[in-house]
Amino acid sequence: MKNTSKLVLALTVIVSFAFIKPKHSEPKKINIVIDAGHGGTDFGATSDAITEKKIVEQVTKKIKSLNSNVVIHFTRNEDNFLSLNDRTAFINKLKPDLVLSLHVNTSLNNKTSGLEFYVAKETEFFEKSSKIAGELINKFATNKNLKVSNVKTGPFYILKKSEVPAVIVELGYLTNENDKKYLVDDNEQNKIAQSISEFISEMK
Ligand SMILES: [Zn+2]
């Protein structure tokens, strides 16, 4: 081979390599489980005809209808009963990047209000879950009409038994008049679903 041919070949090889995409440029597929609390015979918190199971189901359906670049799995799509063990079995089989379990709160004090975010200390995912909960709180805090808590801890079954990061989001207090208004309001539910959808879409 002539020297010039060698040079042309070498250059061709270099140029070809320049067009091979590095593997790490592919986006990481994020899997999320949205767990709508209660369902079926388990109504959760109630106030007159309003039920926790229905509110979290409505918000879950709104999250589902929003476009997101992550894969979202649902422990329930309908008004059916699932035990806590059924839920964690589903989660631990899937091994998602995050579980968000949606609930509605009650208090004997009708002045207690706002969204609360819980993680469990009793798991190896405590730190990761706390970090995610903090970021989720910041996302909700951009909605000035909502009152949000700091990251709280509680030994809840779904948090302790999920073998992945998990956060319980209590969307508000059914026992507080102001919270009750936004919890059942279609537009306010849309905003809550939007915040959650945006948050999970931005996860890396
Ligand atoms: Zn609940």
Side-chain angles (χ1 to χ4, degrees), residues 65-77:
S65 72
L66 290 164
N67 276 330
S68 171
N69 57 355
V70 300
V71 185
I72 312 177
H73 310 266
F74 300 89
T75 50
R76 72 175 174 98
N77 284 306

PDB file of all heavy atoms in Angstrom, residues 65-77:
ATOM      1  N   SER A  65     -53.389  10.847  32.258  1.00  0.00           N
ATOM      2  CA  SER A  65     -53.778  11.490  30.997  1.00  0.00           C
ATOM      3  C   SER A  65     -52.757  12.513  30.514  1.00  0.00           C
ATOM      4  O   SER A  65     -52.774  12.907  29.349  1.00  0.00           O
ATOM      5  CB  SER A  65     -55.144  12.150  31.146  1.00  0.00           C
ATOM      6  OG  SER A  65     -55.023  13.295  31.962  1.00  0.00           O
ATOM      7  N   LEU A  66     -51.867  12.957  31.424  1.00  0.00           N
ATOM      8  CA  LEU A  66     -50.854  13.944  31.022  1.00  0.00           C
ATOM      9  C   LEU A  66     -49.692  13.243  30.342  1.00  0.00           C
ATOM     10  O   LEU A  66     -49.281  12.171  30.770  1.00  0.00           O
ATOM     11  CB  LEU A  66     -50.344  14.706  32.256  1.00  0.00           C
ATOM     12  CG  LEU A  66     -51.343  15.666  32.901  1.00  0.00           C
ATOM     13  CD1 LEU A  66     -50.883  16.050  34.297  1.00  0.00           C
ATOM     14  CD2 LEU A  66     -51.536  16.901  32.043  1.00  0.00           C
ATOM     15  N   ASN A  67     -49.173  13.872  29.290  1.00  0.00           N
ATOM     16  CA  ASN A  67     -48.024  13.280  28.605  1.00  0.00           C
ATOM     17  C   ASN A  67     -46.802  13.348  29.492  1.00  0.00           C
ATOM     18  O   ASN A  67     -46.529  14.346  30.107  1.00  0.00           O
ATOM     19  CB  ASN A  67     -47.747  14.022  27.300  1.00  0.00           C
ATOM     20  CG  ASN A  67     -48.613  13.488  26.188  1.00  0.00           C
ATOM     21  OD1 ASN A  67     -48.972  12.314  26.181  1.00  0.00           O
ATOM     22  ND2 ASN A  67     -48.959  14.355  25.259  1.00  0.00           N
ATOM     23  N   SER A  68     -46.080  12.268  29.542  1.00  0.00           N
ATOM     24  CA  SER A  68     -44.871  12.247  30.344  1.00  0.00           C
ATOM     25  C   SER A  68     -43.848  11.390  29.623  1.00  0.00           C
ATOM     26  O   SER A  68     -44.197  10.455  28.922  1.00  0.00           O
ATOM     27  CB  SER A  68     -45.213  11.652  31.711  1.00  0.00           C
ATOM     28  OG  SER A  68     -44.034  11.425  32.423  1.00  0.00           O
ATOM     29  N   ASN A  69     -42.575  11.733  29.797  1.00  0.00           N
ATOM     30  CA  ASN A  69     -41.527  10.957  29.117  1.00  0.00           C
ATOM     31  C   ASN A  69     -41.003   9.807  29.980  1.00  0.00           C
ATOM     32  O   ASN A  69     -39.962   9.244  29.703  1.00  0.00           O
ATOM     33  CB  ASN A  69     -40.383  11.884  28.688  1.00  0.00           C
ATOM     34  CG  ASN A  69     -39.810  12.637  29.872  1.00  0.00           C
ATOM     35  OD1 ASN A  69     -40.337  12.531  30.981  1.00  0.00           O
ATOM     36  ND2 ASN A  69     -38.748  13.379  29.655  1.00  0.00           N
ATOM     37  N   VAL A  70     -41.735   9.516  31.059  1.00  0.00           N
ATOM     38  CA  VAL A  70     -41.340   8.382  31.896  1.00  0.00           C
ATOM     39  C   VAL A  70     -42.424   7.298  31.814  1.00  0.00           C
ATOM     40  O   VAL A  70     -43.532   7.561  31.363  1.00  0.00           O
ATOM     41  CB  VAL A  70     -41.138   8.796  33.370  1.00  0.00           C
ATOM     42  CG1 VAL A  70     -40.047   9.843  33.492  1.00  0.00           C
ATOM     43  CG2 VAL A  70     -42.425   9.313  33.985  1.00  0.00           C
ATOM     44  N   VAL A  71     -42.081   6.090  32.253  1.00  0.00           N
ATOM     45  CA  VAL A  71     -43.062   5.001  32.234  1.00  0.00           C
ATOM     46  C   VAL A  71     -43.759   4.981  33.598  1.00  0.00           C
ATOM     47  O   VAL A  71     -43.096   4.844  34.628  1.00  0.00           O
ATOM     48  CB  VAL A  71     -42.380   3.648  31.962  1.00  0.00           C
ATOM     49  CG1 VAL A  71     -43.420   2.549  31.833  1.00  0.00           C
ATOM     50  CG2 VAL A  71     -41.523   3.733  30.706  1.00  0.00           C
ATOM     51  N   ILE A  72     -45.071   5.160  33.591  1.00  0.00           N
ATOM     52  CA  ILE A  72     -45.806   5.194  34.851  1.00  0.00           C
ATOM     53  C   ILE A  72     -46.640   3.925  34.992  1.00  0.00           C
ATOM     54  O   ILE A  72     -47.374   3.538  34.080  1.00  0.00           O
ATOM     55  CB  ILE A  72     -46.720   6.433  34.949  1.00  0.00           C
ATOM     56  CG1 ILE A  72     -45.961   7.712  34.561  1.00  0.00           C
ATOM     57  CG2 ILE A  72     -47.261   6.568  36.374  1.00  0.00           C
ATOM     58  CD1 ILE A  72     -46.821   8.963  34.574  1.00  0.00           C
ATOM     59  N   HIS A  73     -46.505   3.289  36.137  1.00  0.00           N
ATOM     60  CA  HIS A  73     -47.293   2.104  36.458  1.00  0.00           C
ATOM     61  C   HIS A  73     -48.248   2.477  37.592  1.00  0.00           C
ATOM     62  O   HIS A  73     -47.908   3.307  38.438  1.00  0.00           O
ATOM     63  CB  HIS A  73     -46.392   0.960  36.924  1.00  0.00           C
ATOM     64  CG  HIS A  73     -45.241   0.695  36.006  1.00  0.00           C
ATOM     65  ND1 HIS A  73     -45.291  -0.259  35.007  1.00  0.00           N
ATOM     66  CD2 HIS A  73     -44.010   1.271  35.916  1.00  0.00           C
ATOM     67  CE1 HIS A  73     -44.130  -0.254  34.354  1.00  0.00           C
ATOM     68  NE2 HIS A  73     -43.335   0.650  34.883  1.00  0.00           N
ATOM     69  N   PHE A  74     -49.416   1.840  37.611  1.00  0.00           N
ATOM     70  CA  PHE A  74     -50.425   2.186  38.616  1.00  0.00           C
ATOM     71  C   PHE A  74     -50.800   0.936  39.414  1.00  0.00           C
ATOM     72  O   PHE A  74     -51.068  -0.111  38.806  1.00  0.00           O
ATOM     73  CB  PHE A  74     -51.662   2.777  37.945  1.00  0.00           C
ATOM     74  CG  PHE A  74     -51.349   4.027  37.158  1.00  0.00           C
ATOM     75  CD1 PHE A  74     -50.971   3.951  35.821  1.00  0.00           C
ATOM     76  CD2 PHE A  74     -51.391   5.270  37.761  1.00  0.00           C
ATOM     77  CE1 PHE A  74     -50.648   5.090  35.095  1.00  0.00           C
ATOM     78  CE2 PHE A  74     -51.067   6.422  37.048  1.00  0.00           C
ATOM     79  CZ  PHE A  74     -50.704   6.327  35.714  1.00  0.00           C
ATOM     80  N   THR A  75     -50.829   1.074  40.735  1.00  0.00           N
ATOM     81  CA  THR A  75     -51.246  -0.090  41.539  1.00  0.00           C
ATOM     82  C   THR A  75     -52.734  -0.358  41.328  1.00  0.00           C
ATOM     83  O   THR A  75     -53.167  -1.498  41.361  1.00  0.00           O
ATOM     84  CB  THR A  75     -50.969   0.121  43.040  1.00  0.00           C
ATOM     85  OG1 THR A  75     -51.508   1.388  43.435  1.00  0.00           O
ATOM     86  CG2 THR A  75     -49.491   0.067  43.356  1.00  0.00           C
ATOM     87  N   ARG A  76     -53.500   0.716  41.121  1.00  0.00           N
ATOM     88  CA  ARG A  76     -54.910   0.514  40.742  1.00  0.00           C
ATOM     89  C   ARG A  76     -55.368   1.628  39.811  1.00  0.00           C
ATOM     90  O   ARG A  76     -54.977   2.781  39.958  1.00  0.00           O
ATOM     91  CB  ARG A  76     -55.813   0.423  41.973  1.00  0.00           C
ATOM     92  CG  ARG A  76     -56.055   1.727  42.722  1.00  0.00           C
ATOM     93  CD  ARG A  76     -57.061   1.521  43.843  1.00  0.00           C
ATOM     94  NE  ARG A  76     -57.211   2.708  44.665  1.00  0.00           N
ATOM     95  CZ  ARG A  76     -58.197   3.608  44.529  1.00  0.00           C
ATOM     96  NH1 ARG A  76     -59.115   3.441  43.596  1.00  0.00           N
ATOM     97  NH2 ARG A  76     -58.264   4.660  45.316  1.00  0.00           N
ATOM     98  N   ASN A  77     -56.181   1.234  38.814  1.00  0.00           N
ATOM     99  CA  ASN A  77     -56.752   2.191  37.874  1.00  0.00           C
ATOM    100  C   ASN A  77     -58.237   2.362  38.130  1.00  0.00           C
ATOM    101  O   ASN A  77     -58.862   3.302  37.680  1.00  0.00           O
ATOM    102  CB  ASN A  77     -56.572   1.709  36.434  1.00  0.00           C
ATOM    103  CG  ASN A  77     -55.145   1.906  35.957  1.00  0.00           C
ATOM    104  OD1 ASN A  77     -54.620   3.011  36.034  1.00  0.00           O
ATOM    105  ND2 ASN A  77     -54.506   0.839  35.516  1.00  0.00           N
TER     106      ASN A  77
END
